[in-house]
Amino acid sequence: DHIAMRLWLLPAAVLAQDAVGKEQVLEALKQRADKNQDGRITHDEFVDFVMEANQADGRQDVHTDAEDVGAGLVQHDKDKDGSLSWDEVVAGYHTVLHQGEEEADKRKFEAADASGDKLLNSQELGHYLNPHTDPKTLRVEALNNIGFLDENNDGKLSEDEVGERRKEAPSDDELDKMTGAEITKIAFQEAGFKSLDLNEDGFLDAAEVEHLITGRHHIHVTLADIVKLVDRDGDGHMTLDEVENNFDLVDKHPVFHTEHNIWTHRMGQEL
């Protein structure tokens, strides 16, 4: 809903309120985003602010909350040993694993298994379900998604391997029928190869794919759009005064009114 989409600009404490207005947005930006209190919101300050708000509110995806993870462990722990085996994870979290996906997902399981006992405790299950919360699991997840499309097996993706963006975004029904690999490809296409290729070397490597998985890519793109709307002095930053004076433009930004997210669907289907 509209309030939930304010996550891009507001921390969890503000989101919990029934209504979110201009003064609350400005106060949140002033107190939480403007770290050095100079009246400007730099690129890095904004990105860090949104990432912190996501983590604090547990909205990165449906399995982030520790209680949800614990409840899932109890539900799928068939032998009641307090942890999940690979077979229990597959039975509990995967309705269908297509060709190549089981091998990839088992690599993620093994990365999350910090103890190496071939079982996931509650913390390890949290890392498995939310790769962005653990650097090792995140890197494996990024490499897995590269592997789905890496035709020449060089460990990175070219623009040809990603392919051109579809003229029309697939419907939810279409997405439900696609493999994880197909959805991954669409996610890369929707994000845009050139905007993902941060070092501009013509390839997407694991670090750049991690940028997409964690959500930082979308925040960077959103910030660039918002800065264009409010940056009246052309210095490449937005100030609190600029946000206040152009609040109606910021409020109308599509990020507050968009519910469809390919990458979220990819993660949801996977789990």
Side-chain angles (χ1 to χ4, degrees):
D1 56 26
H2 184 73
I3 299 301
M5 291 312 297
R6 291 292 181 124
L7 177 61
W8 291 95
L9 286 177
L10 293 177
V14 177
L15 280 169
Q17 302 183 37
D18 292 334
V20 182
K22 177 178 178 179
E23 296 305 318
Q24 291 166 309
V25 170
L26 293 171
E27 186 64 19
L29 288 172
K30 179 180 179 180
Q31 297 297 328
R32 299 286 298 278
D34 184 16
K35 294 292 178 66
N36 60 5
Q37 298 293 298
D38 66 351
R40 295 195 315 165
I41 309 298
T42 68
H43 192 99
D44 289 340
E45 283 178 333
F46 183 88
V47 172
D48 289 343
F49 168 67
V50 176
M51 294 298 291
E52 289 169 6
N54 279 345
Q55 292 168 3
D57 196 44
R59 291 178 181 267
Q60 189 75 15
D61 62 62
V62 296
H63 298 287
T64 300
D65 187 86
E67 291 184 7
D68 290 338
V69 173
L73 190 152
V74 171
Q75 178 182 353
H76 303 307
D77 181 16
K78 301 306 180 184
D79 59 9
K80 305 304 178 185
D81 65 350
S83 57
L84 296 186
S85 67
W86 167 244
D87 288 339
E88 288 172 326
V89 166
V90 172
Y93 290 99
H94 299 281
T95 54
V96 177
L97 282 173
H98 299 276
Q99 183 178 2
E101 293 179 2
E102 181 169 354
E103 295 87 347
D105 208 66
K106 192 165 188 179
R107 288 193 292 270
K108 184 172 69 169
F109 177 96
E110 292 169 349
D113 178 20
S115 65
D117 62 357
K118 299 183 179 180
L119 298 169
L120 299 185
N121 59 32
S122 182
Q123 183 180 44
E124 292 167 339
L125 180 61
H127 292 161
Y128 168 81
L129 296 175
N130 309 287
H132 61 274
T133 62
D134 174 60
K136 183 178 179 181
T137 312
L138 175 61
R139 177 51 56 98
V140 169
E141 179 74 345
L143 291 171
N144 281 342
N145 283 282
I146 288 174
F148 287 144
L149 309 180
D150 186 12
E151 297 175 1
N152 62 359
N153 296 313
D154 63 353
K156 54 189 177 182
L157 297 178
S158 67
E159 192 165 5
D160 287 340
E161 286 171 325
V162 169
E164 295 182 3
R165 182 175 181 174
R166 292 166 53 127
K167 293 182 178 179
E168 295 183 3
S171 66
D172 285 341
D173 288 340
E174 290 176 311
L175 287 169
D176 286 336
K177 297 174 184 177
M178 291 181 179
T179 67
E182 290 171 329
I183 294 176
T184 295
K185 188 167 190 173
I186 293 174
F188 288 143
Q189 292 171 349
E190 290 288 311
F193 184 91
K194 286 183 170 54
S195 66
L196 289 173
D197 182 17
L198 299 176
N199 61 8
E200 300 181 346
D201 67 348
F203 296 95
L204 301 184
D205 58 28
E208 290 166 332
V209 174
E210 288 177 6
H211 202 68
L212 176 63
I213 295 173
T214 60
R216 293 188 75 90
H217 165 76
H218 297 293
I219 298 169
H220 277 275
V221 171
T222 299
L223 174 60
D225 285 346
I226 292 176
V227 168
K228 288 178 184 177
L229 290 174
V230 305
D231 182 21
R232 297 309 182 187
D233 59 11
D235 66 351
H237 301 287
M238 60 181 178
T239 66
L240 294 173
D241 287 341
E242 286 173 333
V243 174
E244 181 174 12
N245 294 335
N246 299 280
F247 187 79
D248 288 344
L249 295 177
V250 175
D251 188 49
K252 293 175 183 178
H253 191 278
V255 73
F256 297 131
H257 309 282
T258 302
E259 299 178 358
H260 192 68
N261 184 304
I262 296 291
W263 190 260
T264 300
H265 194 102
R266 162 80 173 93
M267 298 299 291
Q269 186 201 62
E270 188 175 90
L271 300 176

